[in-house]
Every structure is written in structure tokens, then in C-alpha cells.
Amino acid sequence: MRVVIVTESFPPDVNGVAHCALQTARHLVARGHAPVVVAPATSPKFTAPLEQAGAAIGSGPDAHAPCPVVRIPSLPLPGYPQVRVALPSRRVAAAIGEHRADIVHLASPFVLGVRGMAAAARLGLPAVAVYQTDLAGYARTYMGAGEAAAWRRIRSVHAAADLTLAPSSAALRDLEAHAVPRVKLWPRGVDTDRFRPEHRDEQLRRELAPNGELIVGYVGRLAPEKQVELLAGVCGLDGVRVVVVGDGPSRTSLGEALPGAVFLGRRTGHDLARIFASLDVFVHTGPFETFCQTVQEAMASGVPVVAPAAGGPLDLVDHGRTGLLVPPRDADAVRDAVASLAADPARRAAYGAAGHATVEGRTWAAVGDLLIGHYADVLAARKRKPVVAA
């Protein structure tokens, strides 16, 4: 199968869309398929190649990508330079045509994905759109309005696809409630070899919490929609050290909002896995997650989770068994949940073990095979469509 993955983000970007696109490409290659990735050009400051991504192809940041990568000229998003927005380009359609694609995979289509959708339609190719970003939630956060317009945009983009894949039950319900047609569930995998309890590092724990404090961690973008400031109450708990991993436009303000917290910046690979496994409690604060990969990585690492009872975490966290779900945007509830786990080591251990067992079978290989099945269904449906005489 020849697949073109048109994605709004790709490594060295660090976010859920980029990671999922990379894992999809890797799995397609491993199963003998032929993918090509189309993505925005990276910032000139990014020169490091992909980590452990396979055979070298070309040079620069994509030197070790699992497949060819076509980069589209891009500009940084105003106010959020870590996010790149692709400029209009004929390269998208050219890449799809030159690859002789059987199917086009659109990862979180919004700008570049819309062009990929249009090119697929012109070439008569089926398209599978993967819904990954809660644009309506972002509109509320950044503009205080615009939710209805965001849903109109989502609906118009995804209605043109042969199939839309939602990462969680909550996302699927949202899409169907807003009249997006042809939606099925496709969850995300987790690297269960990398994220494991065995990577717990006592030396790292002593560096982060020299007085033996309970280590409570957050991993993710530091941006307004993530609402990391909800950890302020946790910072005030006796015997607790908050550790924040990630970067973004809210880094400076969070330094003031979270007194005593340790900020480790962006971490990846084994370094990130070591940090996850060395936590005592993982807390996710953002209420707009369509899936929430970091929750799944914490569970794979054997760490109990506290997360908002909204979006993707509703599928991932079994309240009272693998972690605790709290009302969204409720700093007191976050603090109280952490305090209850801090006071009960046996419950922390039980939640962590149950979380690890829950996700152990959710490998990227298993999830990737589900995706290939969705591709096959779409291709079969296209073949069954009657030919309409001119």
C-alpha cells in the first residue's frame, strides 16, 4: 500500500500530532508498506535528526526518518513560534501524485491537511482524516469565543474525508454531535519498551527531591490551554516536589505561578522515560485533550495518574483503580487528589501497577494494525462505489 501522510507537525517537533505521525510511518514501513510524509518545514534552529527512527534518508532533521519526508515552506505561528504553519505550495499535490498514492492520511488536518484533502479529491484518491486537536477548546482559551466557527471548520474539513478517526470515545461523541459524518474510533499506542517501571532512577530522584519529597510530575506543552498553573496548590503541599517537563509560551509565567517547582525543559527518548518512571504521581491539567498520550506513558511507567474528567483521560483513567479523575479547571480538586495519594503509598503502588497492566497491550504495532485495517476498509468501499455515467 502506498500512503502519503500529510501532517501539520512532524519531528523534531514534540507534540502528539508529530509523535503519532512518526509512529504511523514507522509501522507502515515495518509492515512492508510505502509511506511518504508531507510536513511543514522546521525552524532553522532544529538540526538534530529523529531519535532512533530507522535508516537514513537524505540529510538534516529528517536524516533518520523511517521514510522520505517532503517539507513545505512554513512560518512560525505568531505568539507561539514552536508551531509552524505551512505556506501555500504545489508541493503537496506533487508529492501525492509522484508517490502514486493509494490513500492519503491526514494527520490533524487544519491548514496543510486541507490542501492534502483537496489534492486527494482532484486525483480521485480516498482520504482518511485523523482528528487530534480540540480546536474549539483552543478557540475558547485563546479568543474567549469562536467555538462555533471552529466546529464549522472542523466539520467542513472532515466531511470531505472518506473516514474520520477519533482517538477517544469523548472525541467521537463530540464529532458526531457536531454532524461530522463517517467517524470511527482509533486510539493511540504507547511505546511499552521505552516507558516501563524498571526505568525508575533513585539517583535522579535524589537530584530532584534531595529531602526525600514525593515527586509529582507534569509532562507536556507549557501553554495556556494546558492550564499547568492548576498545580499551584500542589506546590504548597508539605513534603511534595513538583517537577515540570516541557517548554512553551507559558514557561516564564509558570515560573512565578509554581513556586518551588523544578523545570526540566524539553526531554525526549530514554531521558524522558527515566523521568516518568521516577515520579510518584503524574498530574495532567489540560481539559482539552482528545486523547492525552502523556497519561498513557505515565501508566506504562507504573505511575498513578491524576487527570481532569474530560476528553481523552475518561477512556484512559479508571477512577479509583489506575488513578483519580477530578473536575476540570479545579485547582483545589487537583491538590486534594494529590494529597490523598501522597498520604497512601499502598494505594499509589496499586494504582501504578494496575495502570501498567492496563496499557501493556496497547503497543504502536497493535494500534498500527488497526489503522491499516481502516485503510483497507476505505479502499474496499471505494471499489464498491458504482460508476456514474456521464
Side-chain angles (χ1 to χ4, degrees), residues 80-335:
Y80 201 159
Q82 294 92 338
V83 176
R84 308 286 298 188
V85 179
L87 297 171
S89 173
R90 295 178 181 177
R91 293 186 193 178
V92 181
I96 295 171
E98 290 170 7
H99 190 56
R100 305 190 313 279
D102 299 307
I103 194 165
V104 177
H105 173 121
L106 306 164
S108 195
F110 185 62
V111 176
L112 192 59
V114 171
R115 296 175 197 137
M117 186 87 74
R122 286 196 301 272
L123 294 168
L125 297 172
V128 173
V130 179
Y131 176 70
Q132 290 182 252
T133 306
D134 183 0
L135 295 173
Y138 286 13
R140 289 196 303 272
T141 300
Y142 287 97
M143 297 182 288
E147 185 175 358
W151 273 115
R152 284 195 296 272
R153 172 75 169 181
I154 292 168
R155 185 166 52 249
S156 67
V157 171
H158 285 266
D162 291 70
L163 177 66
T164 287
L165 297 176
S168 64
S169 300
L172 188 147
R173 288 192 296 270
D174 281 347
L175 290 164
E176 291 183 335
H178 289 88
V180 175
R182 300 178 298 280
V183 183
K184 290 187 178 179
L185 185 67
W186 180 55
R188 300 293 176 266
V190 63
D191 188 340
T192 54
D193 291 326
R194 172 168 291 174
F195 296 100
R196 300 193 62 80
E198 291 83 356
H199 294 313
R200 190 175 178 88
D201 187 325
E202 292 303 327
Q203 179 178 342
L204 174 62
R205 287 178 53 78
R206 287 191 293 272
E207 293 171 2
L208 295 175
N211 298 314
E213 296 96 335
L214 184 95
I215 302 176
V216 177
Y218 166 87
V219 178
R221 282 199 316 279
L222 306 185
E225 74 274 6
K226 299 298 184 180
Q227 301 187 4
V228 186
E229 66 277 4
L230 294 174
L231 289 171
V234 177
C235 290
L237 293 173
D238 290 338
V240 169
R241 174 59 55 88
V242 171
V243 173
V244 177
V245 180
D247 199 3
S250 297
R251 170 61 184 89
T252 300
S253 62
L254 287 171
E256 300 173 358
L258 305 179
V262 177
F263 289 83
L264 298 180
R266 185 178 114 173
R267 301 296 181 95
T268 60
H270 177 71
D271 191 24
L272 178 61
R274 190 170 60 109
I275 294 169
F276 261 118
S278 300
L279 302 176
D280 294 302
V281 178
F282 176 79
V283 179
H284 186 78
T285 49
F288 304 124
E289 301 299 327
T290 59
F291 184 76
C292 201
Q293 181 68 2
T294 55
V295 162
Q296 194 164 239
E297 290 168 350
M299 292 170 69
S301 304
V303 179
V305 172
V306 175
L314 290 170
D315 281 0
L316 297 173
V317 181
D318 186 354
H319 181 74
R321 193 179 74 87
T322 64
L324 298 173
L325 293 169
V326 298
R329 308 176 188 83
D330 190 332
D332 290 344
V334 171
R335 180 202 59 211

